[in-house]
């Protein structure tokens, strides 16, 4: 690992995003529009908006980073730039962390825009500290990135890469407690939801809305998210092969 | 011993190289040496295994058996990564970045001076196009950006897979002049092509067919030996002399 190569990679990924302002705009605007829609959908039920709105603040960065990373990494593979980089003195970790820094910055920006809107204009009530909300959102963004990186190894076309979003994330979304509280699920499903990382993302956000201060439970959730992200990043690193068929 | 006499070892030494891809043998026991400071042309019809051989030399090919040594080390070893430049057949640069951004990034990865991108841009004749997005460039210009990236840091060995495809004759001859300058400066070049008229510009030719080397000789010696008027004809005579190759894998 080499810091200057990692930073050069992060700068390069950000430069690519800068050349694609539409993607950048979609990344920032879509969550805000959806959250606004949600607010007016639950016009008469502010508690419902507090619960679901906060959970979605955690889910969006994960969804978006998953999609962006899986397509970006697939592009690196199909255009041959990944092969070129791997013939150069670039460590696999330099590449992965470069992506993590660049997309982490975008995840942070997205979380800032979405939470400024939700906490400010839309009046979402969060009892916990705002910095912790950001930390969870950032952790979720990085988890989405790491998962996207990992699954991109199994996609050979962009069509496949996009299909991995519903395949890998929809089950997690159904089981994360957003639709049915996790403790009321059948044992098997409950168990499944216990091992899926998105559950902890939503749990953390839910806890932040209800309890003030820095609760140990939120920190535990956050460390589960971080561990899952590191695991996925490690698995992703294994899929980067210098020698290919 | 290898280290002390590194200057004397050939740039590339391949011995009994066999490559199997997807259960099919693609290269059947290749032996060859490439001398330092020379231009070697790798010629043969499309699909004969040229790219697989080049990939084995760069060290990115899986399923290889035999020995491939580059600059005195095993192909693909970490120490070679800044000493070998590789240009794939399809330009492998970021289409959504400008020419300068691409080269700045690769320069940072290679750890070469910040002035190097400007040098290689001039070498491939892309001055004035630095700020253009690669996606806006023509196919030939993209190929030159890809070549420029491989020239960063002045690598000792350049492995170029069909670098002149789709270029007009003027540009092609300019690039060959560049290749000669690089070789004169001490670099070793291995250039694949299926255009036989580029063969005469090489010091040595490797003629390949169906995963085997048909010939490994200088262009003139090849013409003398086969009595052919040009390399194309020489290739055909060599093929006729070896007879049709049995390819049971195609029949099954």
């Amino acid at each position: 690992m080499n810091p200057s190569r990692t930073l050069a990679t992060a700068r390069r990924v950000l430069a690519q995003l800068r050349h694609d302002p539409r993607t950048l705009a979609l990344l920032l605007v879509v969550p805000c529009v959806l959250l606004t829609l949600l607010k007016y959908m639950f016009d008469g039920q502010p508690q419902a908006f507090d619960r679901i709105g906060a959970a979605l603040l955690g889910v969006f960065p994960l969804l978006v980073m998953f999609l962006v990373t899986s397509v970006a990494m697939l592009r690196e593979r199909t255009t041959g730039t990944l092969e070129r980089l791997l013939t150069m003195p670039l460590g696999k970790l330099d590449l992965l962390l470069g992506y993590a820094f660049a997309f982490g910055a975008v995840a942070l920006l997205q979380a800032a825009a979405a939470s400024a809107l939700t906490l400010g204009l839309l009046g979402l009530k969060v009892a916990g500290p705002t910095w912790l909300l950001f930390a969870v959102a950032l952790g979720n963004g990085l988890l989405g990135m790491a998962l996207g990186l990992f699954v991109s190894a199994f996609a050979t076309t962009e069509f496949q890469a996009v299909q991995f979003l519903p395949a890998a994330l929809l089950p997690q979304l159904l089981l994360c407690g957003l639709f049915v509280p996790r403790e009321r699920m059948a044992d098997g499903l409950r168990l499944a939801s216990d091992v899926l990382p998105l559950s902890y993302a939503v749990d953390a956000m839910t806890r932040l809305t209800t309890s003030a201060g820095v609760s140990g439970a939120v920190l535990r959730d956050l460390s589960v998210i971080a561990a899952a992200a590191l695991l996925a990043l490690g698995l992703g690193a294994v899929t980067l092969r210098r020698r290919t068929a | 011993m290898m280290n002390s006499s590194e200057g004397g070892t050939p740039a590339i030494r391949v011995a009994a190289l066999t490559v199997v891809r997807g259960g099919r043998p693609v290269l059947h026991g290749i032996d060859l040496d490439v001398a330092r400071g020379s231009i070697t042309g790798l010629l043969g019809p499309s699909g004969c295994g040229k790219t697989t051989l080049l990939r084995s030399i760069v060290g990115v090919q899986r399923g290889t058996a035999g020995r491939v040594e580059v600059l005195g080390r095993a192909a693909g070893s970490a120490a070679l990564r800044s000493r070998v430049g590789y240009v794939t057949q399809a330009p492998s640069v970021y289409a959504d970045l400008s020419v300068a951004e691409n080269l700045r990034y690769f320069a940072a990865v290679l750890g070469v001076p910040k002035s190097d991108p400007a040098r290689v841009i001039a070498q491939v004749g892309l001055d004035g196009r630095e700020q253009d997005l690669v996606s806006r460039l023509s196919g030939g210009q993209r190929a030159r950006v890809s070549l420029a990236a491989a020239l960063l840091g002045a690598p000792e060995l350049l492995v170029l897979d069909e670098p002149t495809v789709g270029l007009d004759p003027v540009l092609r001859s300019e690039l060959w002049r560049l290749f000669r300058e690089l070789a004169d400066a001490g670099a070793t070049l291995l250039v694949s092509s299926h255009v036989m008229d580029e063969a005469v510009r090489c010091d040595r030719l490797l003629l390949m067919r169906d995963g085997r080397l048909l010939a490994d000789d200088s262009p003139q010696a090849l013409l003398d030996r086969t009595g052919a008027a040009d390399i194309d004809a020489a290739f055909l005579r060599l093929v006729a002399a070896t007879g049709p190759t049995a390819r049971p894998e195609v029949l099954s």
Side-chain angles (χ1 to χ4, degrees):
Chain A
M1 213 209 115
N2 170 308
S4 76
R5 293 190 176 118
T6 306
L7 286 180
T9 303
R11 262 201 310 277
R12 185 264 296 174
V13 174
L14 287 174
Q16 286 178 292
L17 274 177
R18 223 178 20 250
H19 284 296
D20 187 2
R22 194 175 301 173
T23 293
L24 206 53
L26 284 168
L27 281 174
L28 298 180
V29 170
V30 169
C32 293
V33 171
L34 290 176
L35 285 163
T36 311
L37 190 66
L38 198 72
K39 161 80 179 169
Y40 291 105
M41 224 172 83
F42 289 115
D43 209 13
Q45 306 156 260
Q47 308 91 325
F49 175 65
D50 282 351
R51 189 173 68 82
I52 298 176
L56 286 184
L57 271 184
V59 171
F60 281 136
L62 194 140
L63 283 182
V64 168
M65 289 306 138
F66 179 92
L67 201 56
V68 173
T69 315
S70 54
V71 172
M73 194 47 77
L74 181 73
R75 256 204 245 163
E76 291 251 22
R77 286 178 203 275
T78 52
T79 58
T81 48
L82 181 67
E83 178 168 280
R84 161 166 259 154
L85 289 175
L86 291 179
T87 63
M88 290 182 170
L90 181 76
K92 292 173 189 175
L93 219 54
D94 293 330
L95 181 68
L96 296 181
L97 290 181
Y99 265 97
F101 283 138
F103 285 150
V106 177
L108 211 56
L109 207 64
Q110 185 194 51
S115 29
L117 173 84
T118 346
L119 302 180
L121 276 178
L122 302 180
L124 180 87
K125 282 189 256 333
V126 173
T130 317
W131 67 264
L132 199 51
L133 187 95
F134 274 117
V136 175
L138 179 63
N140 291 348
L142 292 178
L143 172 63
M145 191 214 94
L147 288 173
L149 197 79
F150 175 57
V151 302
S152 80
F154 304 100
T156 51
T157 67
E158 298 194 358
F159 284 141
Q160 291 174 13
V162 171
Q163 291 304 317
F164 272 117
L165 177 82
L169 295 190
L170 265 193
Q172 299 201 55
L173 199 62
L174 292 176
L175 294 175
C176 71
L178 201 58
F179 298 98
V180 178
R182 296 210 292 133
E183 57 277 7
R184 273 200 266 141
M185 286 177 192
D187 284 346
L189 294 182
R190 170 75 215 259
L191 213 65
S193 106
D194 277 348
V195 295
L196 294 174
L198 190 62
S199 308
Y200 297 88
V202 169
D203 276 1
M205 283 302 189
T206 312
R207 277 192 247 276
L208 274 172
T209 53
T210 50
S211 58
V214 181
S215 79
V218 175
L219 294 182
R220 198 205 59 202
D221 290 335
L222 198 54
S223 28
V224 172
I225 295 167
L230 282 179
L231 179 69
L233 211 58
L235 290 173
V238 172
T239 68
L240 296 177
R241 293 278 169 81
R242 290 200 194 261
R243 282 181 186 268
T244 52
Chain B
M1 190 199 100
M2 220 47 162
N3 283 333
S4 55
S5 63
E6 205 186 82
T9 58
I12 303 170
R13 169 158 282 173
V14 175
L17 172 66
T18 304
V19 176
V20 177
R21 286 181 67 195
R24 261 189 57 151
V26 185
L27 299 183
H28 315 265
I30 303 263
D31 296 284
L32 63 92
D33 275 5
V34 171
R36 292 184 188 235
S38 68
I39 304 182
T40 301
L42 176 60
L43 302 180
S46 181
C48 71
K50 295 191 296 287
T51 298
T52 305
L53 176 56
L54 296 183
R55 284 172 50 87
S56 306
I57 289 168
V58 177
V60 295
Q61 180 65 50
R62 207 157 59 185
T64 62
R67 219 175 42 159
V68 184
E69 262 174 31
V70 175
L71 304 172
R73 291 169 187 274
S77 58
L80 290 175
R81 282 182 202 137
S82 49
R83 299 171 67 193
V84 177
Y86 174 43
V87 180
T88 50
Q89 212 164 345
S92 50
V93 285
Y94 298 98
D96 49 357
L97 291 180
S98 70
V99 174
E101 284 170 329
N102 265 290
L103 295 173
R104 265 205 304 272
Y105 174 53
F106 291 123
V109 168
L110 288 166
V112 299
K114 283 190 167 35
S115 57
D116 224 32
R119 178 183 68 87
V120 296
I121 285 173
Q123 274 188 323
V124 301
L126 280 174
D127 353 49
R129 314 304 300 262
E130 290 88 345
Q131 302 313 319
D132 291 13
L133 282 183
V134 169
S135 59
R136 302 263 164 78
L137 298 178
S138 72
Q141 288 167 332
R142 274 187 221 200
R144 278 186 284 156
V145 180
S146 195
L147 173 63
L151 296 176
L152 287 166
E156 291 158 65
L157 172 65
L158 274 166
V159 177
L160 312 176
D161 199 354
E162 310 227 356
T164 57
V165 156
L167 299 183
D168 66 74
V170 178
L171 219 65
R172 256 171 47 192
S173 94
E174 273 172 24
L175 280 185
W176 276 98
R177 201 153 49 221
L178 169 65
F179 296 162
R180 178 53 65 193
E181 280 168 26
L182 294 169
D184 288 345
T188 308
L189 287 90
L190 178 58
V191 185
S192 84
S193 172
H194 62 253
V195 193
M196 298 286 177
D197 66 359
E198 293 187 334
V200 289
R201 298 171 177 274
C202 301
D203 302 315
R204 203 162 184 88
L205 291 179
L206 303 169
L207 295 192
M208 215 174 153
R209 185 169 188 257
D210 287 334
R212 289 187 175 84
L213 278 187
L214 287 187
D216 174 357
D217 224 331
S218 72
Q220 194 52 53
L222 211 59
L223 295 179
D224 292 347
R225 181 148 69 86
T226 54
D230 56 34
I231 300 295
D232 237 337
F235 184 80
L236 289 175
R237 288 196 187 173
L238 284 169
V239 170
T242 45
T245 320
R247 280 187 296 171
E249 62 269 31
V250 172
L251 298 174
S252 67

